[in-house]
Amino acid sequence: MTKLTLGSHPFLLGFDQLERLVERTAKSGNDGYPPFNIEQSDRNAFRITLAVAGFGEDDLSITVEDRQLVIRGKQAEADETRVFLHRGIAARQFQKAFVLADGVDVAGATTVNGLLHIDLERAVPDTIVQTIQIKKG
């Protein structure tokens, strides 16, 4: 019996890229740090919120690389003169990646009370009906 994958299904033409995106996302190495939420704020609007306590705006970067939203955090070198009796607040660098569907764009980003909010919007495509002429062969 032949295994049928998403990219090889006869009714799904041109979706082989979707299968590659799923594989790339699985390999992106996203662990649980920092914790995050994803909310749908409207029919075509989403918000990703990351808990980034201790990171300033200059310590964070947000890029879109090949339809992949990448959030990186790296704090400046720690002050060597500080002596911690207990260190429970994580200060390690991180990278989070989210694959964006075609038509989903970053609308903006803000930090509030140690949370990084990234707003996404999906463009509503126009409905187009196209008639194809059939030529005699």
Side-chain angles (χ1 to χ4, degrees):
M1 179 177 229
T2 305
K3 181 179 178 186
L4 196 61
T5 62
L6 181 66
S8 66
H9 193 280
F11 297 123
L12 298 174
L13 302 175
F15 283 91
D16 50 327
Q17 286 182 329
L18 182 60
E19 197 164 7
R20 285 195 297 273
L21 280 174
V22 170
E23 288 175 9
R24 186 174 75 182
T25 303
K27 294 177 185 176
S28 66
N30 281 335
D31 61 2
Y33 179 77
F36 66 93
N37 293 336
I38 301 175
E39 333 169 32
Q40 184 169 5
S41 52
D42 193 342
R43 184 170 186 211
N44 293 305
F46 308 92
R47 173 175 269 190
I48 299 171
T49 301
L50 286 87
V52 292
F55 288 86
E57 285 87 2
D58 294 338
D59 300 328
L60 300 168
S61 72
I62 303 169
T63 58
V64 176
E65 306 166 10
D66 191 26
R67 302 302 310 155
Q68 190 168 25
L69 173 67
V70 180
I71 303 119
R72 294 180 178 93
K74 182 176 181 182
Q75 292 181 331
E77 295 299 318
D79 183 4
E80 297 296 326
T81 62
R82 296 170 70 185
V83 177
F84 290 95
L85 300 178
H86 172 76
R87 189 163 189 173
I89 300 172
R92 61 184 176 160
Q93 66 182 17
F94 68 88
Q95 176 174 313
K96 276 282 190 216
F98 301 89
V99 176
L100 301 178
D102 287 337
V104 174
D105 294 310
V106 177
T110 57
T111 56
V112 178
N113 298 328
L115 298 174
L116 171 63
H117 302 289
I118 303 167
D119 293 312
L120 306 171
E121 292 180 348
R122 178 178 25 220
V124 180
D126 295 332
T127 303
I128 299 172
V129 176
Q130 183 178 8
T131 303
I132 309 300
Q133 296 295 321
I134 301 172
K135 298 178 183 177
K136 289 186 179 185

